[in-house]
Amino acid sequence: MDFVSLFLIAVGLSMDAFSVAICKGLSMQRATAGRCSVVGLWFGGFQALMPVAGYFLGYNFRDAIVSVDHWIAFALLALIGVNMIREAVSKDNENEGATCGCGCGRESEELSTRKMFPMAVATSIDALAVGVSFAFLNVNIWTSAAAIGATTFVLSFVGVKVGNIFGAKYKSKAELAGGTILILIGLKILLEHLLEG
């Protein structure tokens, strides 16, 4: 596979992570380079790991993976999104210590494993199926995974910064919008797979 094709695949796979990173930035009070890097490492790491896992799962499990990946992604993103919306409209959201489903609120909880893990899994499930397809294309999985992970890291880093710039002044509305966006991303993933089927 040539570099341009691989880059386009990497960008395509990272778009969901980029959108969710924007949501993270919307809910952060301060998007420092360190915080942007943590989000990038979570999303980029999982985007690199999933193709490798898919590659080694191989053809025997292809149908099982493809048949449920979109449902898992939809469920995770919808749950996170609904929680964000619920927190955004609740009275508790007016308190400084309130948290939302995207991980805003207390500094120590913004980027916790409990907040980041489901988002990283949900945004990288498509990469698992891509890894399965790589197994049949005689692709160098290590180079491909590194390229996908690096691209996702950079776009996620930028996404957090972009989201934070627009979200700092409109925190509650940003959380509401962010939750809605996550649900819509989940619906997009689900509908794309259902319509293809």
Side-chain angles (χ1 to χ4, degrees):
M1 179 177 295
D2 62 275
F3 175 79
V4 174
S5 298
L6 179 57
F7 177 73
L8 291 175
I9 289 171
V11 170
L13 286 174
S14 65
M15 283 297 99
D16 288 340
F18 176 70
S19 300
V20 176
I22 290 176
C23 294
K24 289 295 296 180
L26 285 170
S27 66
M28 284 183 185
Q29 292 180 358
R30 295 177 299 120
T32 63
R35 291 179 178 205
C36 294
S37 295
V38 170
V39 174
L41 286 171
W42 270 103
F43 292 155
F46 271 79
Q47 286 282 12
L49 178 65
M50 288 295 201
V52 174
Y55 185 87
F56 289 109
L57 282 174
Y59 184 77
N60 291 334
F61 298 98
R62 180 181 173 88
D63 291 338
I65 294 167
V66 172
S67 66
V68 298
D69 65 349
H70 49 287
W71 288 106
I72 295 170
F74 169 71
L76 288 171
L77 290 172
L79 284 171
I80 295 165
V82 167
N83 191 44
M84 283 180 67
I85 292 171
R86 180 179 59 81
E87 292 290 340
V89 298
S90 71
K91 292 180 181 178
D92 291 339
N93 192 57
E94 296 174 3
N95 299 328
E96 190 174 357
T99 59
C100 71
C102 204
C104 66
R106 288 192 295 271
E107 301 280 321
S108 61
E109 293 185 3
E110 286 186 11
L111 302 175
S112 67
T113 299
R114 183 173 61 87
K115 302 282 187 179
M116 293 302 301
F117 180 77
M119 290 184 196
V121 171
T123 56
S124 63
I125 286 178
D126 280 350
L128 185 70
V130 168
V132 174
S133 67
F134 280 175
F136 310 112
L137 297 175
N138 204 20
V139 172
N140 184 321
I141 189 58
W142 304 113
T143 302
S144 301
I148 291 168
T151 302
T152 304
F153 173 86
V154 171
L155 289 176
S156 298
F157 187 104
V158 171
V160 175
K161 278 290 191 186
V162 169
N164 188 249
I165 289 169
F166 292 104
K169 296 181 181 178
Y170 310 101
K171 188 170 181 290
S172 182
K173 291 180 181 178
E175 291 166 8
L176 184 63
T180 303
I181 289 168
L182 290 182
I183 294 171
L184 291 175
I185 292 171
L187 279 172
K188 176 185 77 75
I189 293 170
L190 181 64
L191 290 174
E192 282 176 352
H193 283 77
L194 292 177
L195 292 175
E196 287 174 3

